């Protein structure tokens, strides 16, 4: 769902109040996703002794034109 909202936002030339609300929702979802992944994989790493790497990326709603931003998280026990 966030992808659809982001797609609609980045292709509009002007932001309405609705697109600003959608942008805020997408940014919040991205930030929460990062926190959730970090917490989950840190716990798994501690409990299993395994190392985990997660790579995620996509259009950045804070950059003009939705330039791609990538994040990499590494977790070791």
């Amino acid at each position: 769902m966030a992808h659809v909202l982001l797609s609609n936002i980045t292709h509009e030339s002007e932001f309405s109040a609705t697109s600003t609300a959608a942008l805020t929702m997408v940014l919040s979802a991205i930030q929460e996703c990062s926190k959730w992944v970090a917490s989950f994989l840190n716990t798994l790493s501690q409990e299993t002794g395994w190392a985990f790497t997660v790579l995620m990326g996509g259009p950045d709603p804070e950059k003009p034109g939705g330039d791609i931003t990538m994040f990499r998280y590494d977790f070791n026990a």
Side-chain angles (χ1 to χ4, degrees):
M1 176 145 153
H3 180 267
V4 173
L5 289 173
L6 186 55
S7 232
N8 292 338
I9 292 169
T10 56
H11 295 350
E12 293 178 8
S13 58
E14 294 182 15
F15 292 109
S16 66
T18 303
S19 0
T20 302
L23 176 63
T24 301
M25 189 171 75
V26 170
L27 286 171
S28 176
I30 291 169
Q31 292 167 348
E32 288 303 311
C33 176
S34 300
K35 291 175 190 176
W36 181 83
V37 168
S39 175
F40 177 71
L41 291 182
N42 188 42
T43 300
L44 275 179
S45 180
Q46 289 175 357
E47 291 183 8
T48 64
W50 285 25
F52 296 90
T53 298
V54 173
L55 179 65
M56 56 189 187
D60 188 336
E62 292 185 304
K63 292 184 178 178
D67 291 346
I68 302 298
T69 296
M70 303 287 293
F71 295 101
R72 186 182 92 205
Y73 295 98
D74 297 309
F75 299 92
N76 310 336

